Amino acid sequence: MHLPELGGQLVNGVLRSKLSHEPLRNTDISLALVGKTARCQFLKTDENGEFNFVLNYPGLCEIVIQPLKPVQSGYYVEFNQPFCTTFNDHIPPVFNLDSTKTEDINKAVISMQVNKIYEPFRIERNTTPMDVNAYDFFGKADKTIKMADYIELTTVREVLKEIVPDILVIKRNKEYLFKLVNLVNGSTDYNPLVLVDGVPFTNLAKLLEMNSRELERIDILNTRYYYTDYVFEGIVSFITKKGNLSSLEYDNSVFRQVFEGSPLPQEFYSPDHGTSTDGAYRIPDFRNTLYWKPDLSTGKDGNASIAFFTSDEPGDYTIIVEGIAADGSSGIVRIPFKVKEK
């Protein structure tokens, strides 16, 4: 049984103790995407140690799942299978090639080979990734300290001492704590959320000894931040130049996983020869599929229009329009047309 993925891809599984292999029940955990933009989610595992995150990010990314407070025994993550493991018993019939279509198939293969040859000479198509979650999850930082604006220091400890008066480093019971100056009332609050390359980080002793040359900037949120049931006394985000967590050695128990989100949207190649002025119209065009637009919508009058150029390949083509209305009714229409030889 799989939950419907209405808001994005579901990342779910079970958090377990490395020592006892028992689920970590009612444990506060985070999911973070590694990078120069902080994209974090926080929740509590249920009575079975299970979690459900909704990840709405296209393409490949690296995720880190970990408890907000270190688990002494260590932990590991068991991902649930996102795909169905049961299949229909129906066996499809043996494929038989229709010999009457041999000529059409041969023409299509040749057209595909011609297009492949001339592909490098076509105009670059827009393949820019979607601008999803372009900003840090906590919004705009109250203050950003760029290391390039200051003299070079040795460690992050020196950077905080000499450049960042908002953060006080306290050592208590052999452990380091951060105190952050609150912009609202001027008080200093313990334990802001500390991030490194977008990932929550609790080993402040190791962070303080990191070479400051590795650091690009520090983003600071000097006010209390609420995330559902969680309250953070400010946020301090350390961004390294590489932005991939390579500047710090993480505990081996930290779960890191390359995750493939939904495919990045790509623009279907349909050249506009009517406006081309750079000689692209001279490149042979042997497309078999002339136009494809999956997100076409009609206006209030129920009409929609498209325009496309045919290819250089003569033959019979068919326009297929399929649609579905808000009330669930659907329709389809097929319109044949012919491209003649010049």
Side-chain angles (χ1 to χ4, degrees):
M1 190 70 176
H2 292 76
L3 294 173
E5 296 182 318
L6 302 178
Q9 289 180 276
L10 290 181
V11 179
N12 49 28
V14 181
L15 196 70
R16 295 185 183 275
S17 166
K18 271 191 173 181
L19 187 63
S20 65
H21 303 292
E22 289 294 316
L24 297 176
R25 302 176 177 87
N26 302 314
T27 301
D28 294 319
I29 66 173
S30 67
L31 178 147
L33 273 66
V34 178
K36 294 189 176 185
T37 302
R39 292 180 282 260
C40 295
Q41 299 179 43
F42 307 91
L43 54 77
K44 188 185 295 289
T45 60
D46 63 15
E47 293 294 334
N48 299 315
E50 297 182 355
F51 59 85
N52 272 294
F53 288 104
V54 179
L55 190 61
N56 188 10
Y57 187 80
L60 286 176
C61 58
E62 184 179 11
I63 62 174
V64 174
I65 297 176
Q66 61 179 332
L68 286 183
K69 294 182 180 179
V71 177
Q72 297 302 321
S73 62
Y75 74 98
Y76 65 94
V77 173
E78 288 183 349
F79 268 135
N80 292 333
Q81 170 59 258
F83 304 106
C84 183
T85 56
T86 59
F87 303 95
N88 195 309
D89 293 333
H90 173 71
I91 300 177
V94 177
F95 174 74
N96 290 313
L97 182 64
D98 186 352
S99 59
T100 62
K101 300 293 184 182
T102 302
E103 184 179 351
D104 292 335
I105 295 173
N106 188 50
K107 288 175 60 178
V109 171
I110 294 174
S111 297
M112 185 171 58
Q113 292 173 342
V114 172
N115 275 335
K116 189 69 175 178
I117 293 172
Y118 286 95
E119 180 69 24
F121 304 100
R122 291 201 179 107
I123 302 173
E124 289 289 332
R125 300 193 293 276
N126 180 23
T127 56
T128 304
M130 288 178 64
D131 189 19
V132 177
N133 296 327
Y135 299 98
D136 297 315
F137 72 93
F138 53 82
K140 185 178 179 180
D142 293 320
K143 182 178 293 186
T144 295
I145 295 93
K146 297 181 180 178
M147 295 300 101
D149 295 338
Y150 299 90
I151 61 171
E152 186 175 286
L153 298 172
T154 306
T155 63
V156 170
R157 185 196 305 271
E158 291 186 1
V159 170
L160 298 183
K161 181 180 179 181
E162 302 293 338
I163 301 176
V164 193
D166 307 66
I167 303 174
L168 304 177
V169 180
I170 308 296
K171 190 174 184 179
R172 179 180 295 173
N173 297 328
K174 298 182 179 180
E175 291 188 0
Y176 286 97
L177 302 173
F178 282 175
K179 292 184 70 176
L180 185 63
V181 177
N182 190 300
L183 283 182
V184 176
N185 52 30
S187 64
T188 53
D189 300 313
Y190 280 106
N191 293 329
L193 176 65
V194 178
L195 308 171
V196 177
D197 290 338
V199 179
F201 194 79
T202 56
N203 192 338
L204 300 186
K206 185 178 293 186
L207 173 61
L208 291 171
E209 297 306 317
M210 186 178 77
N211 192 326
S212 63
R213 293 181 181 178
E214 303 283 344
L215 199 60
E216 179 179 295
R217 71 178 193 271
I218 304 174
D219 295 328
I220 302 175
L221 189 71
N222 291 78
T223 52
R224 181 174 291 175
Y225 183 80
Y226 297 88
Y227 186 103
T228 61
D229 295 335
Y230 298 92
V231 181
F232 301 110
E233 300 298 338
I235 297 175
V236 183
S237 177
F238 294 86
I239 304 299
T240 66
K241 293 177 180 177
K242 293 182 179 179
N244 60 4
L245 290 182
S246 62
S247 299
L248 285 172
E249 293 183 6
Y250 264 68
D251 191 316
N252 290 333
S253 66
V254 172
F255 180 84
R256 300 175 63 174
Q257 174 78 39
V258 174
F259 184 85
E260 185 172 5
S262 55
L264 292 169
Q266 295 188 4
E267 181 181 342
F268 182 79
Y269 177 65
S270 183
D272 185 352
H273 297 304
T275 59
S276 179
T277 58
D278 57 2
Y281 61 90
R282 300 188 182 188
I283 298 175
D285 182 358
F286 279 75
R287 291 170 296 133
N288 298 115
T289 302
L290 306 180
Y291 188 83
W292 182 69
K293 188 172 181 60
D295 56 349
L296 182 65
S297 299
T298 59
K300 293 182 179 180
D301 57 359
N303 295 324
S305 62
I306 61 168
F308 62 89
F309 279 83
T310 62
S311 70
D312 297 327
E313 179 67 30
D316 295 321
Y317 292 82
T318 304
I319 298 174
I320 302 175
V321 181
E322 296 180 281
I324 185 169
D327 61 1
S329 58
S330 61
I332 182 171
V333 62
R334 290 180 172 87
I335 307 171
F337 70 96
K338 181 184 290 287
V339 175
K340 298 180 179 179
E341 294 187 14
K342 294 181 180 179

